[in-house]
Amino acid sequence: MRILITGGAGFLGSHLCERLLREGNEIICLDNFFTGRKRNILHLLDDPHFELVRHDVTEPFRFEIDQIYNLACPASPPHYQHNPIKTTKTSVMGAIHTLGLAKRVGARAFQASTSEVYGDPEVHPQPESYKGSVNPIGIRACYDEGKRCAETLFFDYHRQNGVEIRVVRIFNTYGPRMLPDDGRVVSNFIVQALTGKDITIYGDGTQTRSFCYVDDLIEGFIRLMNHPTQSGPVNIGNPGEFTMLQLAELVLKKVGGKSKITYLPLPGDDPKQRRPDITLAQQDLGWQPTVSLEDGLDPTIDYFRKLLKEA
Ligand code: NAD
Ligand code: UDP
């Protein structure tokens, strides 16, 4: 198949490009390099089945393709809050342009949505039926509401125009190729531990997240995209739930060194707990995570160790 991946030079996008190329597909990787890096896809550039296009999804795009994975959007809070208006535009206009193209060429469209659509959840763990608790005017809203509106557009293009859609709600995912200065918790803690800096816990460290290793997530993407009928939304994430203090201690144990833990103020609207209910993914996609946090941290730490040595 010929497959378009928007945001293909980013953390998740580059792993998806690799996996789909390996399976014999032709890949068009579209990215504006806001948080994506050429380094992530350098090893794919010589592949005759791989094409790189520098483009911004807020502008229309046209290709002859069979499937589109729409991943373009900064994912870490510091990056999406850097230019919040642009973040909303990227989610909303990126979805419109993705769906317009899918409608025109009859392609199946896949949306990388997020657990952030649940906001600071009052239901725990979060099933897909939970409608969420998002503050529409807070500092996370540019991302959360942008992603919620993108989901709306996907389902309306499906109902109104018969576009085939797949919507995944991704829970915190980590692994090699996250940016070292990304600001997300796993990369922050690992880089801090490797460079002997203090580990920065925001708030008291009792807030929880569930961390999925990137290879598990990509497997879930492929299963959902190629499922004959399930449009989603489907939660994909690892139900193992950890406090940020537990994560800091685990990273410190694995990296060693002399970093200490320091406590900084909690950012606004930071969700207190998050864990996916993955019953639907298990039942319909036969999917469940296979890599524990303990095991997934090792290749991630190795990646950052090498990256910091090269710098
Ligand atoms: P990332 O920041 O590494 O990747 C995003 C990519 O999109 C980057 O390559 C960036 O340059 C590109 N991009 C941003 N704005 C663009 C625009 N206007 N036009 C074209 N390209 C643009 O983040 P990621 O972790 O790889 O996330 C990929 C997708 O998955 C995002 O849509 C994100 O919201 C979603 N997601 C990720 C996670 C996670 O834990 N990693 C969780 C929930 C949802
Ligand atoms: N966090 C932290 N220290 C950091 C970065 C993040 O304690 O250096 C916390 C953050 O406040 C949040 C959790 O870790 O409670 C996950 O943050 P991340 O930005 O990775 O993802 P999200 O909040 O979007 O789930």
Side-chain angles (χ1 to χ4, degrees):
M1 274 191 280
R2 192 178 292 169
I3 303 175
L4 172 65
I5 303 175
T6 77
F11 160 47
L12 299 180
S14 61
H15 286 274
L16 183 61
C17 286
E18 235 172 30
R19 166 80 190 257
L20 290 170
L21 271 175
R22 223 175 27 237
E23 289 178 357
N25 301 289
E26 269 188 51
I27 302 301
I28 303 170
C29 166
L30 181 153
D31 207 295
N32 73 347
F33 294 105
F34 176 47
T35 50
R37 295 291 175 267
K38 261 214 183 123
R39 187 184 58 228
N40 290 341
I41 43 151
L42 214 51
H43 59 299
L44 306 178
L45 289 178
D46 287 338
D47 190 319
H49 301 294
F50 183 79
E51 246 176 293
L52 177 63
V53 180
R54 182 186 281 265
H55 186 82
D56 194 303
V57 293
T58 59
E59 302 291 336
F61 43 91
R62 283 191 189 190
F63 302 96
E64 290 298 323
I65 31 90
D66 305 298
Q67 294 185 337
I68 313 171
Y69 287 85
N70 183 37
L71 272 61
C73 187
S76 89
H79 283 135
Y80 71 64
Q81 287 160 12
H82 170 72
N83 184 347
I85 297 171
K86 175 71 191 246
T87 298
T88 302
K89 276 189 184 167
T90 294
S91 273
V92 175
M93 295 168 74
I96 290 172
H97 294 144
T98 295
L99 290 158
L101 176 59
K103 179 183 163 194
R104 196 174 303 120
V105 300
R108 186 175 286 182
F110 178 104
Q111 170 65 0
S113 190
T114 168
S115 54
E116 288 288 319
V117 301
Y118 302 125
D120 191 2
E122 295 131 333
V123 170
H124 194 70
Q126 294 83 54
E128 291 83 354
S129 55
Y130 176 51
K131 295 194 180 69
S133 166
V134 173
N135 173 6
I137 57 169
I139 57 169
R140 294 175 83 103
C142 59
Y143 183 75
D144 300 8
E145 298 290 13
K147 289 285 187 179
R148 286 172 68 95
C149 182
E151 286 200 11
T152 307
L153 284 160
F154 266 70
F155 279 87
D156 282 337
Y157 265 79
H158 174 62
R159 282 186 288 256
Q160 197 174 327
N161 298 121
V163 173
E164 278 192 48
I165 59 157
R166 301 288 180 265
V167 176
V168 64
R169 290 185 178 152
I170 306 166
F171 283 66
N172 296 59
T173 300
Y174 69 98
R177 302 206 194 115
M178 296 182 89
L179 288 178
D181 56 353
D182 187 275
R184 284 184 270 193
V185 69
V186 174
S187 42
N188 268 12
F189 285 3
I190 293 176
V191 171
Q192 288 162 347
L194 287 171
T195 54
K197 299 205 176 98
D198 285 352
I199 306 277
T200 54
I201 288 190
Y202 302 160
D204 62 7
T206 57
Q207 72 270 38
T208 67
R209 294 292 186 274
S210 302
F211 298 101
C212 184
Y213 188 64
V214 59
D215 291 354
D216 278 335
L217 182 87
I218 298 298
E219 177 63 29
F221 276 20
I222 309 273
R223 289 191 190 205
L224 176 60
M225 178 58 125
N226 297 297
H227 192 277
T229 52
Q230 178 56 265
S231 297
V234 178
N235 289 339
I236 297 284
N238 190 323
E241 187 180 357
F242 296 84
T243 66
M244 294 312 100
L245 195 55
Q246 284 173 321
L247 176 68
E249 281 162 356
L250 189 54
V251 169
L252 278 173
K253 187 185 87 183
K254 284 187 173 283
V255 174
K258 8 178 229 305
S259 295
K260 293 191 183 60
I261 290 178
T262 181
Y263 292 87
L264 297 177
L266 191 67
D269 286 336
D270 201 273
K272 281 181 270 315
Q273 52 182 5
R274 189 183 287 153
R275 171 154 60 102
D277 178 333
I278 58 164
T279 311
L280 185 62
Q282 283 170 321
Q283 277 172 2
D284 281 18
L285 310 181
W287 179 89
Q288 59 181 25
T290 60
V291 182
S292 65
L293 180 60
E294 196 55 71
D295 290 343
L297 281 178
D298 294 331
T300 313
I301 292 168
D302 286 348
Y303 171 79
F304 282 114
R305 194 174 272 128
K306 273 196 205 109
L307 193 75
L308 293 173
K309 260 197 201 130
E310 284 165 16

